[in-house]
Amino acid sequence: MIGMKFEKLTVVANAERKNYRNRYLCKCHCGNDVTVEEVKLKSGHTKSCGCLQKERTSSAKKTHGKSGCKTIRIWYEMRARCRRKSHKQYPNYGGRGIVVCERWDKSFEAFLEDMGEAPDKMSIDRINNNGGYEPENCRWATKSEQGANTRASRVVLWEGDYISIEKYAKIIGKSRECAHYWAKKNGIISYKY
């Protein structure tokens, strides 16, 4: 057996028998020494000192290197709202037909490729609140941008387009409260559904 190779192991010497089984001192390709039973070498059960399994485990975990980052948490949460009936937000998302496109639902890497990393103080926002999570309908938005883009947001009809109260206030140079008053008085305010 001395000099024989079994996967990453080379037998270098006999070792003390144990439980009536022949054992051998082997040198692993990584440089470590390990004692292995003959039957485990011949059957292929033991292929290295343990480094081969560590390599496999390590490479399996390195799919995108983003576990624990903000972007992957947003991706998990987005999918949960649309798929998991027990999720507290399901009635407002999956329960009313909001879905995640197949490309994003199946792959975080695809989501990351399309959206990029989540910027600081921003989260995912659907431009059309009745549309699903898909590249054409999503953007990174601040809390205030999202607040102005909800189904129940009040909007103002201004020059043929619906805009948020906040934008209207900036246009007319008034506070939000004053802009709301003027829009209501002029009959140009409504809810965004």
Side-chain angles (χ1 to χ4, degrees):
M1 289 279 292
I2 296 174
M4 291 181 72
K5 290 190 176 208
F6 298 90
E7 292 284 332
K8 306 290 183 185
L9 299 173
T10 303
V11 178
V12 293
N14 291 325
E16 186 180 329
R17 283 175 60 99
K18 187 173 183 181
N19 298 331
Y20 305 105
R21 295 183 181 193
N22 292 333
R23 298 181 341 139
Y24 297 94
L25 178 63
C26 300
K27 181 68 103 178
C28 186
H29 79 291
C30 70
N32 288 335
D33 291 332
V34 64
T35 302
V36 184
E37 291 179 1
E38 179 178 357
V39 70
K40 289 185 178 179
L41 285 170
K42 288 184 175 179
S43 70
H45 179 273
T46 304
K47 300 175 182 179
S48 71
C49 67
C51 64
L52 191 58
Q53 181 60 35
K54 287 177 188 171
E55 286 174 16
R56 287 181 185 151
T57 302
S58 177
S59 66
K61 288 182 179 177
K62 288 183 183 172
T63 52
H64 47 68
K66 299 288 182 186
S67 62
C69 78
K70 176 182 176 182
T71 307
I72 202 166
R73 287 192 308 270
I74 289 170
W75 178 74
Y76 278 123
E77 190 61 24
M78 168 188 73
R79 292 170 64 238
R81 286 191 298 268
C82 295
R83 298 166 68 193
R84 205 173 68 226
K85 290 181 180 179
S86 62
H87 192 281
K88 66 181 180 181
Q89 290 294 321
Y90 180 81
N92 295 319
Y93 292 87
R96 65 182 194 93
I98 304 300
V99 296
V100 178
C101 70
E102 187 176 345
R103 174 176 159 80
W104 286 2
D105 194 39
K106 290 187 175 183
S107 168
F108 170 71
E109 288 81 3
F111 174 74
L112 185 62
E113 183 181 317
D114 293 341
M115 291 297 292
E117 291 285 345
D120 284 347
K121 298 181 181 179
M122 289 189 166
S123 59
I124 194 160
D125 182 44
R126 285 172 296 115
I127 298 162
N128 172 1
N129 283 304
N130 294 317
Y133 286 101
E134 55 193 29
E136 303 79 29
N137 193 39
C138 290
R139 64 181 177 178
W140 295 118
T142 63
K143 278 188 177 184
S144 63
E145 288 170 330
Q146 286 195 354
N149 188 32
T150 66
R151 286 182 292 150
S153 292
R154 292 196 175 217
V155 291
V156 175
L157 183 59
W158 181 257
E159 296 181 354
D161 198 14
Y162 284 100
I163 61 172
S164 70
I165 284 284
E166 289 78 10
K167 282 186 181 177
Y168 180 63
K170 285 181 184 175
I171 290 170
I172 65 171
K174 303 287 182 187
S175 70
R176 186 183 188 288
E177 292 75 20
C178 188
H180 182 269
Y181 170 80
W182 282 106
K184 193 173 180 182
K185 183 177 178 184
N186 293 316
I188 60 172
I189 193 166
S190 69
Y191 283 101
K192 185 179 184 181
Y193 287 105

